[in-house]
Amino acid sequence: MQRTLRVTSYIAIALVIFFVVMAFLVNLTPLGENTWLRVFFSVSALNFTLRASVPLILGALCGILCERTGIINIGIEGMMLAGAFAAFVAKTSTNHWPLMPSLLFGVAIALLVGGLMGLLHAIFSIRYRMDQIISGTVLIILAGGVSAYLFDRNAVAQGKFGAIAIPGLSQIPVLGEVLFTNPPLTYTALILVVVIHIGLFYTRWGLRSRACGEHPRAADTVGVNVNRFRYMNTVLGGMLAGLAGGFLVLEAVGQFQEGMTAGRGFISLAAMIFGNWMPFGAMGAALLFGYTQALQNELLLAGVTTVPRQFVSMIPYVVTIVAVSGFVGRVRPPAAEGKVYETEGESE
Amino acid sequence: MRLSILRRIGYMVLIPILAVFSALLLGAIVMWIFGDDPLAAYRGLWTGAFGSPRAWSTTIRKMTPLILTGLSVAVAFKAGLFNIGASGQFLIGSVCSVAVGVNFEGLPAFVHLPLALLAGVAGGVLWGFIPGALKVFTGAHEVIVTIMLNYVASLFAAWTVYAGGTQGQTPGPLWDRTAGAISRTPEVFMSARLPWIVPEPYRIHWGVAIALLVALIMWWILFKTTLGFSTRTVGANSKAARYAGINVRWITILTMMIAGGLAGLAGAIETLGLNHRFAPEFTGGVGFQGITVALLGQTNPIGVVLAAFLLGALEAGAARMQFDSGVAADIIQVIQALVLAFVAAPLIIRQIYRIRKPSDQVETTVFSTGWGR
């Protein structure tokens, strides 16, 4: 287990170095005249990768928070869609405000609605012992239905988050453009990866959360309120998924479309599994999936291939299937996942 | 003994009925909160579903694919598998049946039609086999694989009818050459169409009879054959099934293939009976609704038929409801989600209506046992 982990991280580091070197070469030297190399390594491809990865990173973090305490969450897709719709409604109803407060209000409402979706999932699966996979499905259908029912197709959200260049760092060639000239929610997502990693593995909250997911009986015995932790983390996770939806509306697209999450919630789940329920692993997987989406985009833009676009668009989904089938045997989910916890002697 | 069986059946019927009732009630509250008139909406819904012979025929037409996708999800449930992939299997089934239907001109109908239907089933079987085999051999969870395959299926289906791109992309193999820039297939030959039972304007085709027959067959397989027994045992407790000498891996793959085949048949029937062609705007939405149908029908084939009738009526009435009352037809999706929530958590219903559970345990679906093997 440890060995495979170490090998995986070496491969990841090698890949990152390869990409940085290639990015420098392609964007600063005459190598950039090769169309194929530009498709793979241009600044726009790398920028697109990061942008496509942000919702996946946030969704995967949502999954990690829920599943580390023992709640399976396939409803990320629904939570994301609800967050996106909430952000859109909040933004359009405050269009007359100055841009920044209005956008921040959108973020706050996305967090709130995402958290409420998390609460609903927790109530269904803990209080009413609904099968957690079905509860997730309910969230997905509910979010799709409610957002379509309430969607005002004439409403237009005005403005979205712009890029903030970090002074100094953004001057670095290539890297500065890719990493340090981004809109605020992108930075937030990257910071959250670090925060949640530290939270899960170096704080009392994290230890207790993980105990609830691995051995709830033992956690209960030493006085941890298992179900309270599950409620709390599912709500927190829901907020992250809501933020991912907010990102789509307030930072990436600028508008809402029905079903705009387009499977990102499910790909987040795959990223979570692929990343072995670890924040940095999930981020790596999310970047990989984001890169496949960027490739799809660049291939179509560059016009270098006559392969019908439908096949190019399949890449992210096929990569997800391959990743999930190749790695599930080698990663280990939290032991008590998906099981209702009842304190001793309690039953219906 | 006799009495307890009766009470059990009563319980199994009572929960779905109360679930539907509660969902309609809650849906009405939602409409009222957002300034719509729930009474007008439900009146329109009723008229659209049952108000006239025409309405009845729409309900029956909408019910037909739902029976089969509902069975698809229900059969997988019985083996402890969650088939969210019915919509992808439905699309592949549609495309495969069209591929046969627009070729082989001049075949007699009694060969061409069964061949086209079989092609649809075969496509669905393949699309179910992939997640089944991946689950057995690599441990990949069928939920993620089937969802991803849904996207792949819809892109693949869109490609087969693709009119070609501006950068020299070749058109798809099934594209209708007479359609110009429109992406769609030609109409299938008359010899590959399911005949009408009741012709225009009612447009009820023989697909509904096939669906009902298949439901009966599935009931028989599940409850009267060794295969069905094995399937249910695997679903109830796969470890016990293995100790009893049942080949759990084979049953898992086979069940996913059957589930895929059922959804594929739904696609074939919908195409050969009703649409007569395939175009990208035909989505596999009925595949997703199959989940609600399966759970509302308590994963029993007979229950699935009743549930499909109910959901078909909701779908049939939606357009009329929007026309009559101005309430957006999307509210139907909200109501369906609520139905699903209430049937999946009988505890909510039991608490609201203060119903006692029958003393002998009624089997409940539990299959979220994590992502590993």
Side-chain angles (χ1 to χ4, degrees), chain A residues 123 133 273 338:
Chain A
I123 291 174
I133 288 189
I273 294 174

Side-chain angles (χ1 to χ4, degrees), chain A residues 11 36 38 62 77 118-119 135 164 187 192 207 240 271 284 290 297 303 315 343-344:
Chain A
I11 296 175
W36 277 100
R38 267 212 314 281
C62 160
E77 179 84 8
L119 183 63
S135 167
I164 300 172
Y187 295 127
L192 276 171
L207 182 64
L240 292 179
N297 198 43
I315 299 172
T343 45
E344 256 167 89

Side-chain angles (χ1 to χ4, degrees), chain A residues 67 131 133 149 263 325 328 348, chain B residues 36 82 138 151 350 367 371:
Chain A
E67 303 215 348
D131 184 280
I133 288 189
Y149 171 59
S325 349
V328 164
E348 291 183 56
Chain B
D36 284 326
F82 192 12
T138 73
Y151 291 103
R350 290 219 310 276
F367 48 88
W371 301 109

Side-chain angles (χ1 to χ4, degrees), chain A residues 53-62 64-65 107 111 184-201 205 236-245 247 278-283:
Chain A
S53 304
V54 169
L56 304 182
I57 291 173
L58 289 169
L61 289 176
C62 160
I64 289 172
L65 278 188
V107 171
L111 286 170
L185 294 184
T186 307
Y187 295 127
T188 313
L190 296 177
I191 293 167
L192 276 171
V193 174
V194 181
V195 169
I196 287 176
H197 181 85
I198 293 174
L200 270 180
F201 296 102
W205 164 79
L236 283 175
M239 291 169 76
L240 292 179
L243 185 63
F247 166 86
M278 308 281 266
F280 281 104
M283 182 179 77

Side-chain angles (χ1 to χ4, degrees), chain B residues 1-361:
Chain B
M1 187 59 210
R2 201 89 206 136
L3 197 72
S4 90
I5 290 175
L6 275 181
R7 276 190 54 189
R8 239 174 79 169
I9 293 175
Y11 175 80
M12 283 185 76
V13 174
L14 193 62
I15 293 286
I17 291 176
L18 287 175
V20 171
F21 172 73
S22 315
L24 287 173
L25 198 67
L26 203 53
I29 295 174
V30 170
M31 283 188 255
W32 178 71
I33 289 176
F34 291 102
D36 284 326
D37 178 2
L39 280 180
Y42 285 150
R43 212 177 297 126
L45 194 64
W46 181 266
T47 321
F50 306 115
S52 62
R54 192 80 176 260
W56 272 94
S57 77
T58 314
T59 299
I60 290 171
R61 206 159 53 231
K62 298 273 184 193
M63 168 184 83
T64 308
L66 289 176
I67 293 178
L68 291 166
T69 54
L71 284 173
S72 165
V73 180
V75 167
F77 271 144
K78 285 286 184 206
L81 298 161
F82 192 12
N83 179 25
I84 309 195
S87 62
Q89 295 144 8
F90 176 93
L91 287 175
I92 294 293
S94 311
V95 167
C96 289
S97 64
V98 164
V100 172
V102 298
N103 288 305
F104 310 113
E105 188 174 12
L107 272 184
F110 69 90
V111 181
H112 202 180
L113 175 61
L115 205 63
L117 285 172
L118 268 181
V121 174
V125 166
L126 173 72
W127 225 243
F129 169 79
I130 300 172
L134 285 179
K135 183 182 178 78
V136 165
F137 294 116
T138 73
H141 200 281
E142 78 276 8
V143 166
I144 291 196
V145 176
T146 49
I147 289 168
M148 292 301 133
L149 283 178
N150 283 345
Y151 291 103
V152 175
S154 87
L155 287 165
F156 178 80
W159 166 70
T160 58
V161 302
Y162 183 40
T166 49
Q167 289 161 358
Q169 285 94 341
T170 42
L174 295 176
W175 171 57
D176 179 3
R177 277 162 213 295
T178 61
I182 302 169
S183 296
R184 64 169 199 213
T185 67
E187 292 209 321
V188 297
F189 288 118
M190 288 307 290
S191 54
R193 292 186 192 179
L194 279 167
W196 302 116
I197 301 177
V198 190
E200 304 273 0
Y202 298 109
R203 300 201 300 151
I204 298 175
H205 54 79
W206 277 97
V208 65
I210 298 179
L212 290 172
L213 185 70
V214 168
L216 266 180
I217 295 173
M218 286 319 297
W219 178 83
W220 180 75
I221 291 180
L222 276 175
F223 295 105
K224 302 288 166 193
T225 67
T226 319
L227 174 65
F229 178 75
S230 308
T231 308
R232 287 183 292 129
T233 312
V234 170
N237 187 337
S238 70
K239 281 200 184 104
R242 191 155 62 237
Y243 282 122
I246 294 170
N247 189 341
V248 176
R249 297 179 140 205
W250 169 237
I251 292 287
T252 301
I253 296 182
L254 186 65
T255 309
M256 280 311 288
M257 284 164 71
I258 294 175
L262 288 165
L265 180 63
I269 282 180
E270 196 72 346
T271 320
L272 302 173
L274 194 65
N275 301 327
H276 298 152
R277 64 152 47 104
F278 185 81
E281 63 263 25
F282 300 138
T283 65
V286 286
F288 223 62
Q289 290 171 329
I291 300 168
T292 312
V293 173
L295 283 169
L296 186 59
Q298 308 272 307
T299 70
N300 179 309
I302 310 301
V304 163
V305 171
L306 297 174
F309 176 70
L310 193 103
L311 254 74
L314 281 179
E315 289 289 319
R320 182 63 183 260
M321 177 193 79
Q322 182 159 1
F323 186 77
D324 279 6
S325 65
V327 179
D330 303 296
I331 190 74
I332 296 300
Q333 207 186 334
V334 179
I335 291 171
Q336 285 180 7
L338 294 172
V339 170
L340 180 60
F342 287 129
V343 281
L347 201 54
I348 304 181
I349 296 292
R350 290 219 310 276
Q351 280 187 356
I352 299 175
Y353 300 97
R354 305 188 182 281
I355 300 166
R356 276 233 315 267
K357 200 172 181 175
S359 49
D360 43 348
Q361 195 74 24

